[in-house]
């Protein structure tokens, strides 16, 4: 019974969520679009001509935001967007999509093949592991996902490039921040307005590779 009540509350919150309404009005596939918009604006990231890799992209709202920012005159994308997710994603014009598990080496090689050696300006990751509710196991999974995104960024970013990842406050969070600080010149924590107050999610923005 409690579960039913919880799901009713969630539906009520969701329907009355201003970001859900705005997403519907603007044609974004998820309210998460507004998190990325705020991060890009606050950090002054993403310019026409950039090469962007979107990890954990489905349903596609982050790729939609990036596409909007890269579209030039005549509706042509100036730059490149490569998106990857374990789940399928409805096509977005001009976005190259690869379905597969980022933790799988074969999928990673495919993604690298799509890049064809082109250096990347921005890596964005909204990836989140399936959480079990066991804090020690969950913090290890979150750390692993953040580490994978970071390793990919270190291998492919331009020296002045940037990485945005979703992490979660709690056990292991400070270790993730420290790990990022070892490799990037600037690391900041951001909690966008569209991120629900009750959520422990916090986005890390890392910029400029250390030599």
């Amino acid at each position: 019974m409690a579960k039913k009540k919880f799901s009713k509350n969630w539906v009520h919150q969701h329907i009355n969520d201003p970001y859900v309404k705005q997403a519907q009005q603007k044609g974004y596939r998820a309210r998460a679009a507004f998190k990325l918009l705020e991060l890009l604006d606050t950090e002054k990231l993403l310019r026409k001509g950039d090469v962007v890799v979107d990890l954990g992209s489905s349903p596609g709202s982050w790729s939609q935001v990036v596409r909007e920012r890269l579209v030039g005159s005549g509706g042509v994308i100036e730059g490149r967007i490569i998106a990857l997710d374990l789940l399928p994603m409805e096509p977005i014009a001009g976005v190259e999509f690869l379905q597969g598990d980022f933790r799988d080496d074969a999928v990673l090689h495919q993604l690298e093949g799509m890049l064809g050696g082109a250096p990347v300006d921005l890596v964005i990751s909204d990836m989140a592991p399936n959480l079990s509710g066991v804090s020690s196991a969950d913090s290890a999974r979150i750390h692993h996902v953040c580490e994978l995104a970071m390793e990919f960024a270190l291998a492919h970013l331009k020296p002045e490039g940037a990485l945005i990842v979703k992490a979660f406050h709690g056990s292991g969070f400070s270790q993730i921040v420290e790990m990022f600080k070892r490799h990037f010149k600037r690391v900041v924590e951001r909690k966008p307005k569209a991120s629900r107050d009750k959520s422990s999610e916090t986005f890390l923005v890392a910029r400029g590779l250390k030599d």
Side-chain angles (χ1 to χ4, degrees):
M1 189 67 192
K3 193 172 182 189
K4 201 166 186 182
K5 189 176 177 208
F6 171 78
S7 60
K8 263 190 178 172
N9 287 345
W10 186 89
V11 168
H12 180 76
Q13 278 180 345
H14 190 74
I15 290 168
N16 293 293
D17 185 317
Y19 290 105
V20 171
K21 289 176 179 171
Q22 281 185 61
Q24 288 164 348
Q25 286 164 3
K26 292 181 181 291
Y28 292 134
R29 295 178 182 179
R31 66 194 298 287
F34 297 102
K35 300 174 193 177
L36 182 62
L37 282 165
E38 185 178 328
L39 292 167
L40 294 176
D41 289 342
T42 306
E43 294 296 318
K44 296 181 172 50
L45 291 168
L46 195 58
R47 288 180 292 276
K48 286 185 173 58
D50 279 359
V51 175
V52 181
V53 175
D54 181 2
L55 302 173
S57 60
S58 190
S61 64
W62 278 24
S63 283
Q64 286 179 303
V65 167
V66 174
R67 184 186 185 282
E68 276 182 359
R69 296 278 168 115
L70 295 185
V71 165
S73 55
V76 178
I77 292 176
E78 296 177 21
R80 267 184 95 192
I81 310 159
I82 299 174
L84 178 144
D85 202 288
L86 186 59
L87 300 169
M89 185 175 91
E90 288 288 319
I92 298 170
V95 176
E96 302 163 61
F97 177 67
L98 173 63
Q99 186 176 349
D101 190 337
F102 188 63
R103 295 166 297 185
D104 184 335
D105 283 346
V107 173
L108 188 56
H109 291 321
Q110 260 186 289
L111 180 61
E112 289 171 337
M114 289 168 77
L115 275 170
V120 177
D121 296 277
L122 178 64
V123 175
I124 54 177
S125 171
D126 200 24
M127 289 192 295
N130 290 324
L131 301 179
S132 62
V134 179
S135 65
S136 58
D138 288 346
S139 64
R141 286 174 183 168
I142 292 162
H143 192 286
H144 182 55
V145 164
C146 291
E147 189 172 20
L148 285 173
M150 185 193 75
E151 285 174 354
F152 176 81
L154 293 176
H156 298 285
L157 276 181
K158 291 178 180 176
E160 70 284 5
L163 166 66
I164 298 173
V165 299
K166 176 161 71 180
F168 294 87
H169 258 296
S171 170
F173 179 76
S174 58
Q175 286 93 323
I176 295 170
V177 175
E178 284 307 310
M179 175 175 72
F180 275 48
K181 285 183 173 174
R182 284 199 294 274
H183 297 285
F184 290 91
K185 293 172 184 170
R186 180 173 182 268
V187 179
V188 293
E189 299 170 29
R190 297 278 181 214
K191 173 94 170 165
K193 293 186 190 75
S195 190
R196 289 193 170 102
D197 293 339
K198 283 186 288 194
S199 171
S200 65
E201 73 174 11
T202 302
F203 292 87
L204 295 176
V205 184
R207 306 181 70 162
L209 301 179
K210 287 185 174 176
D211 297 331

